[in-house]
Amino acid sequence: STLKRALELRPDVGREGVLTNLGNVARASGHTDEALEHHREALRLERARFGETSRLARHHHNLGGVYRAAGRLEEARGEYERAAELADEGSPQHALTLNSLGLVLAAEGDADAARAMHLRSASLFAALDHGDIVLPQYNLAVLDAAEPVAAERGFATVVAGLARIGEHDTPRVAK
């Protein structure tokens, strides 16, 4: 692939990013072991360069995503918890990680804890005026699926948020 060729040509430049992209492609293709290998190597390289910093949060988040996709929820929760510890408090990465942790908690059957995570995530995204607020809003609506009125209200919030994102993005897309 083009990404693997990039690693061969310039193994010293942007390796963590290329490995992350390879991990994402492997995950999307259902190749869990390969995805884990790439994400772990990206994490190792980033740690070697910068130490134990907030920069590592995205790598732990990516590992959590691979584990979650593979149904390995305990491992996913551990990676998301580590990502939340490392992410800068109040950053988009922190908000995204809390949302992902909420997904794991919901899959484990702890709807109350999942709701609390999604609410924290939505609150952070709202404070940042960040378009990804629709992610926890959607997940909250899914949690409310047993209550049709609450679910309808939740999904209406998501649609309104998506429309708002579209309004902001339209001029950039038109260029």
Side-chain angles (χ1 to χ4, degrees):
S1 78
T2 303
L3 291 171
K4 288 182 181 177
R5 183 76 178 127
L7 281 177
E8 293 168 5
L9 293 173
R10 296 293 309 269
D12 57 331
V13 177
R15 188 170 180 81
E16 296 93 339
V18 173
L19 287 165
T20 295
N21 288 331
L22 284 168
N24 291 340
V25 169
R27 173 185 162 193
S29 302
H31 301 287
T32 301
D33 291 338
E34 183 181 347
L36 289 171
E37 178 183 325
H38 291 308
H39 285 303
R40 285 180 184 139
E41 180 65 6
L43 172 63
R44 187 191 69 73
L45 291 171
E46 193 95 14
R47 182 179 284 128
R49 275 181 78 192
F50 300 102
E52 212 52 35
T53 70
S54 63
R55 295 176 65 102
L56 301 183
R58 69 184 177 106
H59 297 295
H60 284 286
H61 188 269
N62 289 335
L63 286 164
V66 175
Y67 286 128
R68 186 169 55 89
R72 295 164 62 177
L73 299 179
E74 187 174 329
E75 291 161 295
R77 186 172 14 88
E79 292 295 343
Y80 288 140
E81 287 170 349
R82 183 67 181 133
E85 291 169 8
L86 289 168
D88 292 328
E89 183 74 30
S91 68
Q93 179 66 58
H94 191 241
L96 182 63
T97 299
L98 294 177
N99 180 67
S100 296
L101 186 53
L103 291 171
V104 170
L105 292 166
E108 291 177 332
D110 193 343
D112 291 338
R115 180 178 313 286
M117 283 297 148
H118 292 313
L119 287 169
R120 283 181 60 200
S121 175
S123 177
L124 287 173
F125 279 131
L128 294 165
D129 194 29
H130 199 286
D132 281 353
I133 191 172
V134 297
L135 299 172
Q137 288 173 335
Y138 174 83
N139 294 322
L140 285 164
V142 169
L143 286 173
D144 288 337
E147 299 290 330
V149 174
E152 182 178 349
R153 194 171 40 246
F155 286 118
T157 301
V158 172
V159 170
L162 290 172
R164 186 173 148 252
I165 292 169
E167 290 170 7
H168 291 298
D169 289 345
T170 302
R172 288 193 301 261
V173 172
K175 290 183 181 176

